[in-house]
């Protein structure tokens, strides 16, 4: 979702109406029904007050009374309705010998039945996101994992999202404080995280064991000497908030030998695609956590992230993770040179999805702030996320849990959700 689409979604989220054309009404609703109403309204991009208005209109027009709704534990609920609608509603409830609480609950329930959750919009061609930088230690693994987690969160739940700080100017006028958290439904996509780094950081950070050297591995599939199906190596990330939507292809330390093995492989730049193509239909997004390398394995990753026939621009491509310091700029230059060479040599359509400035801390002074500005001044690729250097990520790594499961409301988590929407 682009910034403009995020702004549009934010502007449509529940807000209070104006007393000049609506009247405030107070009643009660059970918490479960209020939560369903809040989620469904956010999914459909309309105000809660509009949903209640539509529900009451439909309910008052029914020829017979709907089934009774369990209102046990109802708590105060207020909204703004058109002038006179609440009086009509109260008269109808009296005629039907119902309490106002029961009538309102039925009205909301009717609206929910008439406005089902929208289906997840799945890409026609699996999206392939290559998270890369030749420099180690910039946080590629954390960004790859967090982006995948954000894309896999349930669309039937609301999650806190904050637009990245550098987009504050674009949000001006949408809200009094553009950095307020917004509750948005999860993206709900089926995601595969591919640990393409022989150091196995992604595998270990998510609580799994690297594949044994003597067994099957992605390296062996790329080299054409696999013993079984790649599908059998994939493991689920078992956290309730991701359902069955988030999976991992673990790494193996034999990936240290990948460049040597690829040297003798036919059309070696297509080796990663040949290995992953049998399982692509099972996922909406495949995110590859690349090694800090400019070798043949990186060539294969770049080739895999190219734009395919009938694929819209910006759906797949490279996501470059940097830090707000000078050495990241040097590594970035080497990486983009390699990408541009491959674009020309192999005639690839490879899109830059953007730059993520990670581990940013303005308290580090001029070097950090001036480096961030230098990244912001690059227009192609543009900066699509700025993530802070915060303790929750380190704690999640220590506990071997996904960040968005360990600390779903922390600043990094809400920033990663914004990043996932920005490149969607």
């Amino acid at each position: 979702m682009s910034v403009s689409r995020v702004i549009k979604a934010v502007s449509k989220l529940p807000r209070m109406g104006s007393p000049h054309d609506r009247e405030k009404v107070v009643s009660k609703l059970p918490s479960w029904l209020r939560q369903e109403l809040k989620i469904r309204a956010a999914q459909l991009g309309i105000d809660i007050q509009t949903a209640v208005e539509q529900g009451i209109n439909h309910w008052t027009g029914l020829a017979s009374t709907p089934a009774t709704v369990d209102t046990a534990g109802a708590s105060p609920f207020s909204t703004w309705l058109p002038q006179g609608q609440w009086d009509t509603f109260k008269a109808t409830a009296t005629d039907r010998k119902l309490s106002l609480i029961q009538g309102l609950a039925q009205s909301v329930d009717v609206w929910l039945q008439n406005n089902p959750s929208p289906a997840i919009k799945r890409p026609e061609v699996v999206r392939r996101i290559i998270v890369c930088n030749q420099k180690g230690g910039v946080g590629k693994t954390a960004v790859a994992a967090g982006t995948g987690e954000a894309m896999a969160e349930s669309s039937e739940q609301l999650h806190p999202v904050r637009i990245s700080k550098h987009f504050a100017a674009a949000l001006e006028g949408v809200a009094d404080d553009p950095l307020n958290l917004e509750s948005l439904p999860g993206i709900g996509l089926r995601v595969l995280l591919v640990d393409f780094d022989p150091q196995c950081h992604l595998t270990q950070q998510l609580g799994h064991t690297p594949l044994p050297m003597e067994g099957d591995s992605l390296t062996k599939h790329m080299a054409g000497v696999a013993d079984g199906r790649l599908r059998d190596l994939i493991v689920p990330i078992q956290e309730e908030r991701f359902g069955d939507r988030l999976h991992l292809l673990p790494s193996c330390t034999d990936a240290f030998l990948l460049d040597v093995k690829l040297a003798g492989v036919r059309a070696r730049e297509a080796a990663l695609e040949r290995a992953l193509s049998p399982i692509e239909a099972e996922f909406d997004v495949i995110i590859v956590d690349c090694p800090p390398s400019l070798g043949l394995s990186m060539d294969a990753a770049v080739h895999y992230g190219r734009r395919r026939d009938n694929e819209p621009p910006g759906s797949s491509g490279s996501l470059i993770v940097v830090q707000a310091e000078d050495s990241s700029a040097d590594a970035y230059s080497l990486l983009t040179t390699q990408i541009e060479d491959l674009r020309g040599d192999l005639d690839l359509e490879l899109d830059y999805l953007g730059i993520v400035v990670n581990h940013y801390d303005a308290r580090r002074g001029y070097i950090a702030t001036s480096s961030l500005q230098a990244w912001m001044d690059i227009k192609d690729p543009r900066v699509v996320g700025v993530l802070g250097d915060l303790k929750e990520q380190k704690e999640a790594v220590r506990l071997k849990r996904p960040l968005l499961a360990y600390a779903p409301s922390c600043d990094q988590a809400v920033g990663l959700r914004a990043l996932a929407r920005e490149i969607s």
Side-chain angles (χ1 to χ4, degrees):
M1 184 181 291
S2 66
V3 172
S4 61
R5 289 173 63 192
V6 171
I7 294 171
K8 184 177 180 181
V10 169
S11 66
K12 287 184 176 181
L13 286 177
R15 59 185 183 273
M16 299 307 292
S18 167
H20 298 297
D21 56 5
R22 288 176 176 261
E23 59 179 335
K24 183 177 181 179
V25 299
V26 179
S27 183
K28 289 185 176 181
L29 272 181
S31 58
W32 65 268
L33 191 58
R34 182 192 291 109
Q35 184 67 8
E36 284 193 30
L37 171 64
K38 184 178 180 181
I39 293 171
R40 193 69 51 81
Q43 288 175 333
L44 298 174
I46 69 170
D47 298 326
I48 287 179
Q49 62 186 23
T50 302
V52 175
E53 175 189 342
Q54 293 173 354
I56 289 177
N57 278 338
H58 192 96
W59 181 80
T60 55
L62 292 175
S64 58
T65 304
T68 299
V69 176
D70 182 4
T71 59
S75 57
F77 171 81
S78 63
T79 189
W80 296 80
L81 296 176
Q83 296 284 348
Q85 187 184 42
W86 191 243
D87 291 334
T88 301
F89 165 77
K90 289 191 292 185
T92 304
T94 299
D95 290 342
R96 295 175 179 175
K97 297 181 172 56
L98 296 174
S99 68
L100 297 183
I101 297 173
Q102 180 61 217
L104 181 59
Q106 290 182 10
S107 299
V108 171
D109 190 53
V110 164
W111 183 84
L112 290 169
Q113 293 177 39
N114 290 338
N115 295 272
S117 298
I120 300 295
K121 186 176 181 180
R122 306 194 182 279
E124 294 183 8
V125 179
V126 62
R127 297 187 61 201
R128 300 160 321 284
I129 299 174
I130 310 305
V131 182
C132 53
N133 192 331
Q134 173 264 337
K135 184 179 185 296
V138 297
K140 293 187 300 294
T141 296
V143 171
T147 303
E149 293 163 24
M151 289 182 169
E153 285 184 313
S154 173
S155 63
E156 295 297 326
Q157 296 177 4
L158 298 181
H159 311 277
V161 180
R162 176 181 289 130
I163 307 306
S164 299
K165 291 184 179 180
H166 62 284
F167 296 129
L171 288 171
E172 209 169 332
V174 173
D176 293 335
D177 180 1
L179 299 184
N180 281 341
L181 295 184
E182 300 293 343
S183 294
L184 298 176
I187 299 175
L189 297 178
R190 302 167 300 188
V191 178
L192 174 65
L193 298 169
V194 177
D195 192 349
F196 197 43
D197 188 341
Q199 298 175 89
C200 307
H201 291 320
L202 178 61
T203 299
Q204 294 169 337
Q205 287 183 19
L206 293 177
H208 288 271
T209 303
L211 298 171
M213 283 282 288
E214 64 274 11
D216 204 4
S217 67
L218 177 58
T219 297
K220 291 185 173 66
H221 280 264
M222 292 178 66
V225 293
D227 297 324
R229 300 186 311 162
L230 187 72
R231 181 67 188 83
D232 295 335
L233 303 179
I234 296 173
V235 294
I237 304 301
Q238 295 180 326
E239 293 280 358
E240 183 179 352
R241 72 184 306 107
F242 308 123
D244 60 353
R245 294 176 298 277
L246 186 62
H247 291 76
L248 168 71
L249 176 56
S251 185
C252 176
T253 54
D254 68 355
F256 280 115
L257 305 173
L258 181 57
D259 280 7
V260 175
K261 293 179 180 295
L262 286 180
V265 172
R266 175 186 57 83
R268 56 180 179 252
E269 69 278 354
L272 182 59
E273 182 168 345
R274 287 196 298 269
L276 294 178
S277 59
I279 51 89
E280 286 184 348
E282 301 177 37
F283 301 98
D284 301 309
V285 185
I286 295 178
I287 299 177
V288 181
D289 181 27
C290 294
S293 166
L294 294 178
L296 297 179
S297 56
M298 191 61 210
D299 286 354
V302 170
H303 184 274
Y304 185 61
R306 78 193 188 284
R307 191 192 314 162
R308 296 179 180 175
D309 293 341
N310 302 320
E311 186 174 18
S315 178
S316 297
S318 61
L319 186 65
I320 303 174
V321 183
V322 300
Q323 289 181 318
E325 37 93 277
D326 294 338
S327 61
S328 270
D330 297 335
Y332 168 82
S333 178
L334 292 171
L335 175 63
T336 53
T337 297
Q338 179 180 11
I339 290 175
E340 292 304 319
D341 287 346
L342 283 170
R343 270 177 156 178
D345 294 345
L346 301 178
D347 193 25
L348 301 181
E349 290 285 351
L350 181 73
D351 295 323
Y352 290 108
L353 300 181
I355 297 171
V356 179
V357 182
N358 196 28
H359 297 162
Y360 179 69
D361 187 347
R363 294 173 299 178
R364 292 174 181 158
Y366 174 74
I367 291 179
T369 56
S370 61
S371 295
L372 175 60
Q373 186 58 54
W375 291 119
M376 297 296 297
D377 289 340
I378 299 175
K379 302 307 179 186
D380 185 18
R382 63 192 177 88
V383 172
V384 292
V386 178
L387 302 174
D389 187 11
L390 303 174
K391 65 182 180 65
E392 287 86 358
Q393 177 64 54
K394 299 178 180 68
E395 293 170 352
V397 169
R398 173 68 63 86
L399 295 172
K400 299 185 183 303
R401 290 192 65 194
L403 174 66
L404 271 68
Y406 168 70
S409 298
C410 75
D411 195 67
Q412 279 182 322
V414 297
L416 284 162
R417 293 189 187 100
L419 168 62
R421 284 165 169 78
E422 181 63 22
I423 65 173
S424 294

